[in-house]
Amino acid sequence: LGFCLGRWFVVRIVRARWKVTSFEGSEGAIATVMIFILSLMLCCVFLYNALIPSEAQALGGHSLEIFLNLGAESLQYRHVNKVFQMLSGSVDLLAILMVMDQVLQDKFWYPEFAVPLKQCWNGCNGWVRIVAFWVVLTTGIATVIVGVNKTGTDPGDFTWRNGLIGGTSEVSRGLLAACIVFTDLFTVAQDWAFPTFR
């Protein structure tokens, strides 16, 4: 419902009535639709809190009940953090695939880059890219979920003891997080003509 309302707002109000040129094509649509989805989710929380019995715990900024619905074993932080790791890995994979799809469809900025790969990617009226995108996304998300859930110290679990860069100390995890953050920032700065976004 939030997606439909956001899309209707972009198409009927922003483009047709207000004639805002910065929203032509697909520009700005994702942000606008996400605002509508998040607003609708907030309204659902208020509605849920209004309808539950008084002895039940209401959803709020400190409530972690949503993580039980997302697969957490309990509300202990180690279980909630597993859900955060699965969500983070899934969203990062989605972002990587979206940027890759944009780069392989590009014919304007770098028309000479990887021409055979672009032809293959866009072949069969675009079905190659659609099928490849969804296959890689679903198998990647499944791999992330299994990888996070099978990490631990029990027999048969992944231990992730790689001593190549000093093991998994706070420093190495901090460096990995910094690498992810700066990769995301460079993606914005490079691929969408930052800061003018033209």
Side-chain angles (χ1 to χ4, degrees):
L1 182 62
F3 175 81
C4 294
L5 286 173
R7 180 115 175 97
W8 173 84
F9 181 76
V10 169
V11 172
R12 300 284 184 203
I13 305 296
V14 176
R15 290 184 193 157
R17 185 172 295 168
W18 295 344
K19 301 196 183 325
V20 179
T21 58
S22 61
F23 282 83
E24 289 183 9
S26 62
E27 300 297 323
I30 293 175
T32 307
V33 168
M34 285 306 296
I35 289 170
F36 271 84
I37 290 172
L38 295 174
S39 300
L40 186 66
M41 289 174 69
L42 185 61
C43 291
C44 289
V45 167
F46 288 136
L47 182 64
Y48 173 83
N49 288 342
L51 296 177
I52 61 171
S54 58
E55 64 272 1
Q57 181 182 3
L59 293 177
H62 60 281
S63 173
L64 298 175
E65 299 290 329
I66 188 72
F67 293 104
L68 293 175
N69 296 335
L70 293 174
E73 296 173 37
S74 72
L75 293 180
Q76 294 178 2
Y77 282 126
R78 62 190 175 115
H79 295 143
V80 170
N81 286 337
K82 277 188 172 185
V83 175
F84 269 122
Q85 288 175 340
M86 290 185 280
L87 289 173
S88 175
S90 301
V91 170
D92 278 344
L93 180 62
L94 177 64
I96 289 167
L97 289 173
M98 288 172 59
V99 170
M100 182 188 75
D101 184 45
Q102 282 294 115
V103 168
L104 292 178
Q105 288 186 71
D106 172 53
K107 295 177 183 171
F108 180 74
W109 295 102
Y110 302 102
E112 303 301 322
F113 173 74
V115 175
L117 183 59
K118 286 182 179 181
Q119 289 172 345
C120 177
W121 185 252
N122 295 302
C124 297
N125 271 350
W127 280 104
V128 171
R129 60 180 273 270
I130 293 170
V131 170
F133 183 94
W134 284 106
V135 166
V136 172
L137 182 66
T138 53
T139 55
I141 289 175
T143 303
V144 166
I145 290 171
V146 168
V148 169
N149 284 321
K150 289 295 289 176
T151 297
T153 56
D154 295 335
D157 285 349
F158 302 129
T159 57
W160 305 104
R161 293 192 180 147
N162 182 1
L164 183 63
I165 56 172
T168 56
S169 66
E170 273 188 53
V171 173
S172 63
R173 289 190 296 269
L175 290 173
L176 178 61
C179 180
I180 292 169
V181 167
F182 280 103
T183 301
D184 291 342
L185 290 174
F186 289 146
T187 299
V188 170
Q190 178 180 346
D191 290 328
W192 285 287
F194 178 83
T196 59
F197 297 103
R198 291 184 185 168

